[in-house]
Every structure is written in C-alpha cells, then in structure tokens.
Amino acid sequence: MKQPLLGKKITELRKQKGLTQEELVERCNVTVRTIQRIESGETTPRIYTIKTILNALGLDYEKVFEREYNEGKFDKILRFFPSNLKEVLNVSFIAGIVYFVLGFVEMGYSFIFIGLDSQTNWSDLPIKNYGGYSENGIYIFIKIISIISFSLLMRGFVLVGSYYKNYLVELMAFVMIIMHIIFEISEIVSINFENSLVEFIMISKAVTFGVIMIFFGVGLLRLKSHLGNLPKITGILEIITGVCFATVFLSVFGLIFLIPLELLELLLLYKVASKIRLN
C-alpha cells in the first residue's frame, strides 16, 4: 500500500483503538513526528516501522494489508492450470514433490538401468525391453514428466515473485523453466550421439543453472521481510549450490546440497500458499 492510502489506513486503525498519536508513540517507541509524517502521507515508512506500529495497535501486518494479487508479465505467458493463486501454488507444491522423487528415479535409471561407462556410447547399447517398453522409451517418458513437473514447480515461484513484487525471483524462475526444457530435450536428442556430446550438455547445464541459481538465491533473500528466515536460509543454500554447479568441479557437492534445497523450496511454496487469503 502506497502513500497517502497508507497514512489514512494507519490513522483509521489508530482511531478505531481510541488512541491519540502521543499514546500510540508510547506503545511503539516511534517519534511523534514520524507518526505525523506517516499519517499525513509525507513519507513512506519501512515495513519494519509499519509492523512496529501495527503490533502496538494489537494488529497483524499480513491481515491488515492483505495483498491483492496482480499477474506479472511472465505469469501471463505461463497461463495453464487454475488462475486462482492459492490453487496454482498448491499444484506447484505437488509438482515439486513429484519432481523431487523423480530426481532419484532419473539418477538411478542413469546408473543402474543404462549402466554406461566412459567408453560406451548410447547408440551402441542393445535396446532392452521392460514390460513392452524400451529403455529409450522409458528414459524419454521420465524426461517428459521431469519437464512438466519442474515447469509447474517453477511457475509457483514465478507467482511468488509477482505476488511480492520481487522481479528477480519472477524472472529467474521463468528462465529456469525455459532452460530446463531446452536441456531436457537436448539430453533426449543426445541418446543417438556420442558421449562427448552428452558430457558437453551436462557441463553446459551445470554452468547455466549454477549462474541462474545464484541470482535466484539473491532474489529469495529479499523475501525475508515478508516470510521470515525460511527464504533467507533457502536463498543462502541456493547461492551455495549455484556456485558449486557453476564451477563444475564442485558439482558433486551441488547434487548433495540439491536435496535439502528442494525440500526448502517446497516448504517456502507451502508457507506462501498458507498465508494467502483470496477475496
């Protein structure tokens, strides 16, 4: 809420409590001049100051200034599934669980099902069948589910960024969706090529996502004023994981950090969804 509407709202709430400006000052330890400037619309206070005043009035910031969601530019591009914000975040949360579990399946498939070594090419492998489905077919199916679930998961963060006017989170989440689709399709196509191409794709993917994750983590840190310490912890781990992937040789550590990171991202989506009350 911007001035002068904010000032009018504070004045209205103070009068509802039957308090003078001086009495409010005694409760919240803010100067009379500051209260006067806020109520007259002369200044836009920090969120911390607003929360301090509302606490003195016995009110909750989120309940008083309930946010009205407006779609961001990237969310309009990604218009699929319900347009209801809370419903979309719930879908993103479920998709995130699917993507998290699928990550273990995909990794297990690569190491156990395919059994590649550094001297073996995908195209040289005999095609095995499992219940009528070839290895390549199963691999492609896993990749398609990965694309869908990851896109839905990140769409949740596009919405979160738009909802809290955090355009860095919104942009980076959108870029992640696009790059994930590109790299997943590249990995599917690379089935018929030599391992050198596969290695190039994997290195490019690690560097690209590493850089994006660093910026995404910075964006998450900016959500601390709205959501407490959870986005701060998630943002820090996001940056650390991004650095590991961007350097390539630390990617193994990145994969390890990725497990708690994805769980924290899911918790963050859940927390945002639980705080939203739609009109």
Side-chain angles (χ1 to χ4, degrees), residues 69-80 155 158-159 162 170 174:
Y69 173 67
N70 295 310
E71 286 183 330
K73 63 179 73 174
F74 299 111
D75 183 38
K76 291 178 181 178
I77 298 175
L78 299 172
R79 177 175 281 280
F80 48 76
R155 190 203 171 186
V158 171
L159 287 161
S162 177
E170 184 181 0
F174 180 77

Side-chain angles (χ1 to χ4, degrees), residues 103-115:
F104 294 100
V105 176
E106 188 173 358
M107 187 169 294
Y109 182 84
S110 298
F111 285 103
I112 301 174
F113 231 15
I114 299 296

Side-chain angles (χ1 to χ4, degrees), residues 88-118:
V88 174
L89 289 179
N90 287 334
V91 169
S92 296
F93 178 76
I94 295 171
I97 295 175
V98 173
Y99 181 74
F100 178 76
V101 174
L102 190 66
F104 294 100
V105 176
E106 188 173 358
M107 187 169 294
Y109 182 84
S110 298
F111 285 103
I112 301 174
F113 231 15
I114 299 296
L116 289 177
D117 56 47
S118 59

